Amino acid sequence: MENKDQFSTKLTRRDFMKKTSLAAGGGILLSSLPVGSSAYAAANDVLNVAVVGCGGRGTGAANQALNADEGVKIVALADLFRDRLDDCYNSLTQAHPDGDRIAVPEEHKFVGFDGYKHAIELADVVILATPPGYRPEHFEEAVRQGKHVFMEKPLGTSADGVRRILKAGREAKQKQLNVVVGLQRHYQTNYHEALKHVRDNAIGKITAGQVYWNSAGVWVRERQPDQTELEYQNRNWYYFNWLCGDHILEQHIHNIDVANWFLGEYPVSAQGMGGREVRTGKDHGQIFDHHFVEFTYPSGAVISSQCRHQPDTFSRVAEHFQGAYGTIEIDSSNKALIKDHDGVVLYDHAGMNDPNPYQVEHDKLFAAIRNGDVISDTENGAKSTLTAIMGRMATYSGQVITWDQAINAQDKMVPDNMTWDTPPPVVPDENGDYPVPTPGVTNVLSPESTVSTG
């Protein structure tokens, strides 16, 4: 995962307004309603924030919220596990030792599956940063309670979850709620500058592209003797589809989303291949360690997508596109390089002083709340989530998957109203091995879809 949890950029909202020249991040809509009609009333200088999901990403996002606006207070924390909640609280109090901005008394620390409901009740703004399988349920509750939201990507692990997010997103728009999704390239200067050149026809119509997330992989958490199966899977959530959705979704969504954004459309179909070659142990659950997918778009453009979690192999996290007149290469390290087909450089972005996009997400969210504007990232976040899910369906099944098939898939993975007594959706066999999808065998589209269990 990218270094999203950094505490380094202490940029206040006032500093941001002076320093950044970014005009817009995601889809900013000017509110036609008075500020007082939104969840936050301007007369109150304090914005109370609840964090749902206190791991590294939730802690990092809370810190960025505190840096974004001097009126932000963290007032509630919720997580499945007390130790993770305590780590988050201790990190935030160490990073912000002065004043009362970390105002979380013991009765506002909620542990367990239903803690999110109580934390949301106490907030004006909610940070949703649990494993993505829980995102639809938590977003629905935040919108039902009329709260502004920052939520991490992806927005679910199944088509069922995407449909729920889209429905709740429409309700959020009606309520004039701000929703920022953690697809932070939409808040990064080099991507905006590159897109301006694309829209000015610098490379002509995009006809093809390649998007990459090839890296060594992420953490593994060992099973502990006293853990239940449900606790083990939640501690090791990255390796279980119902919680994570596989790394083509959890990480590679960033690059797939950029393809959708730069093309201005979503793919009509996907076909691909994938499997497990290196990461094959019981401790790696049921997900693949490599995927390769071709996405075909309505314009005829074809985007090749590859993601890999294999140590000691070639690493690349970037997006490349080709057009009639030239090419463009961009990445999260502030690169944006445009050349014609003779190799002449047309644009080379110098991004050394660009603002941190993880911070800009929060700067813009809280500025919009203060100013009565509305940012609405939900629909794009949901559709890019579905794009990655469609790619996963293609690699798991070995079949061509259309957009219509993907969005209508009956693939509910996460049980409703979970408790610690709920059986996990996937269980190991007598040898401790989890079911792994098999191309040519796994059926991702039947009413009894096996995508969650392999």
Side-chain angles (χ1 to χ4, degrees):
M1 286 177 280
E2 293 175 302
N3 182 21
K4 305 181 77 171
D5 307 325
Q6 52 196 305
F7 280 57
S8 58
T9 306
K10 286 217 166 190
L11 192 65
T12 66
R13 174 171 169 264
R14 187 175 297 109
D15 292 335
F16 166 73
M17 297 303 288
K18 290 179 179 177
K19 293 179 180 178
T20 184
S21 61
L22 278 177
I28 295 183
L29 306 174
L30 291 178
S31 171
S32 60
L33 298 177
V35 174
S37 67
S38 67
Y40 161 74
N44 181 3
D45 288 335
V46 175
L47 283 167
N48 293 321
V49 174
V51 182
V52 178
C54 295
R57 184 75 281 267
T59 305
N63 184 67
Q64 286 144 3
L66 289 161
N67 290 339
D69 188 295
E70 293 170 355
V72 163
K73 280 189 176 183
I74 306 297
V75 298
L77 302 174
D79 199 280
L80 284 182
F81 302 110
R82 179 67 197 222
D83 60 309
R84 211 157 50 189
L85 186 153
D86 288 340
D87 288 345
C88 175
Y89 178 80
N90 292 335
S91 295
L92 293 174
T93 52
Q94 289 171 14
H96 301 271
D98 302 324
D100 59 351
R101 301 186 70 198
I102 315 301
V104 189
E106 190 61 27
E107 61 269 26
H108 291 182
K109 297 176 180 176
F110 302 101
V111 176
F113 282 97
D114 64 349
Y116 72 95
K117 295 179 182 177
H118 308 300
I120 290 171
E121 287 174 358
L122 298 169
D124 302 301
V125 185
V126 182
I127 292 171
L128 302 180
T130 61
Y134 298 122
R135 198 82 72 245
E137 182 178 21
H138 294 176
F139 182 55
E140 287 172 337
E141 181 66 18
V143 173
R144 187 188 70 77
Q145 293 194 30
K147 312 298 184 178
H148 300 289
V149 173
F150 171 84
M151 59 178 166
E152 262 304 330
K153 56 73 208 165
L155 304 189
T157 55
S158 66
D160 172 76
V162 169
R163 293 192 294 269
R164 292 172 63 179
I165 289 282
L166 286 169
K167 183 179 178 182
R170 291 191 289 272
E171 183 180 346
K173 269 190 174 181
Q174 291 170 356
K175 291 184 174 181
Q176 298 283 297
L177 301 175
N178 281 277
V179 181
V180 168
V181 172
L183 291 165
Q184 74 278 353
R185 285 161 175 76
H186 287 266
Y187 295 83
Q188 189 160 358
T189 305
N190 61 312
Y191 283 87
H192 279 273
E193 292 301 315
L195 188 59
K196 284 181 189 174
H197 288 278
V198 169
R199 289 176 175 168
D200 288 342
N201 212 29
I203 66 169
K205 178 184 175 183
I206 294 176
T207 57
Q210 302 78 41
V211 296
Y212 308 90
W213 193 297
N214 292 334
S215 67
V218 300
W219 42 261
V220 172
R221 295 176 179 136
E222 293 184 6
R223 187 187 295 272
Q224 301 301 311
D226 58 344
Q227 284 179 335
T228 65
E229 180 62 31
L230 187 58
E231 180 181 352
Y232 171 72
Q233 292 189 20
N234 275 282
R235 293 278 190 184
N236 217 33
W237 61 268
Y238 204 93
Y239 299 99
F240 295 93
N241 282 324
W242 67 282
L243 288 166
C244 167
D246 208 320
H247 65 110
I248 189 175
L249 174 61
E250 210 284 330
Q251 286 181 311
H252 193 35
I253 184 177
H254 283 297
N255 318 102
I256 292 170
D257 170 65
V258 170
N260 292 345
W261 183 24
F262 274 55
L263 286 165
E265 55 188 359
Y266 301 94
V268 293
S269 66
Q271 71 85 22
M273 63 184 74
R276 290 159 64 107
E277 294 291 337
V278 175
R279 206 170 50 186
T280 59
K282 295 178 175 63
D283 53 351
H284 293 116
Q286 56 177 158
I287 68 173
F288 283 0
D289 63 13
H290 65 282
H291 303 255
F292 180 90
V293 182
E294 289 180 344
F295 291 103
T296 300
Y297 286 76
S299 64
V302 176
I303 300 296
S304 298
S305 143
Q306 56 178 279
C307 58
R308 178 173 60 203
H309 276 185
Q310 296 175 344
D312 302 319
T313 57
F314 172 65
S315 294
R316 172 179 284 169
V317 179
E319 303 87 21
H320 297 179
F321 300 108
Q322 295 82 47
Y325 312 135
T327 64
I328 182 168
E329 301 176 16
I330 34 181
D331 66 27
S332 60
S333 299
N334 297 326
K335 178 180 181 179
L337 180 64
I338 300 176
K339 297 179 180 177
D340 67 16
H341 286 310
D342 292 323
V344 176
V345 174
L346 304 177
Y347 177 73
D348 188 359
H349 184 74
M352 291 184 62
N353 296 316
D354 287 351
N356 178 348
Y358 304 110
Q359 185 59 55
V360 175
E361 292 174 322
H362 293 269
D363 294 336
K364 287 192 171 291
L365 170 61
F366 287 98
I369 294 169
R370 295 286 188 196
N371 297 330
D373 297 334
V374 177
I375 300 174
S376 181
D377 287 348
T378 310
E379 181 175 354
N380 177 68
K383 290 184 176 179
S384 284
T385 296
L386 185 71
T387 306
I389 290 172
M390 185 167 70
R392 184 191 68 203
M393 289 178 170
T395 62
Y396 280 7
S397 67
Q399 308 297 328
V400 176
I401 304 295
T402 68
W403 181 270
D404 288 343
Q405 288 174 321
I407 189 62
N408 291 308
Q410 301 304 304
D411 60 351
K412 182 177 175 63
M413 293 186 184
V414 182
D416 294 325
N417 304 313
M418 290 191 71
T419 72
W420 285 116
D421 294 324
T422 302
V426 61
V427 293
D429 64 16
E430 63 275 13
N431 298 315
D433 294 312
Y434 294 92
V436 176
T438 302
V441 175
T442 296
N443 185 345
V444 297
L445 297 175
S446 77
E448 295 81 28
S449 170
T450 57
V451 71
S452 63
T453 61

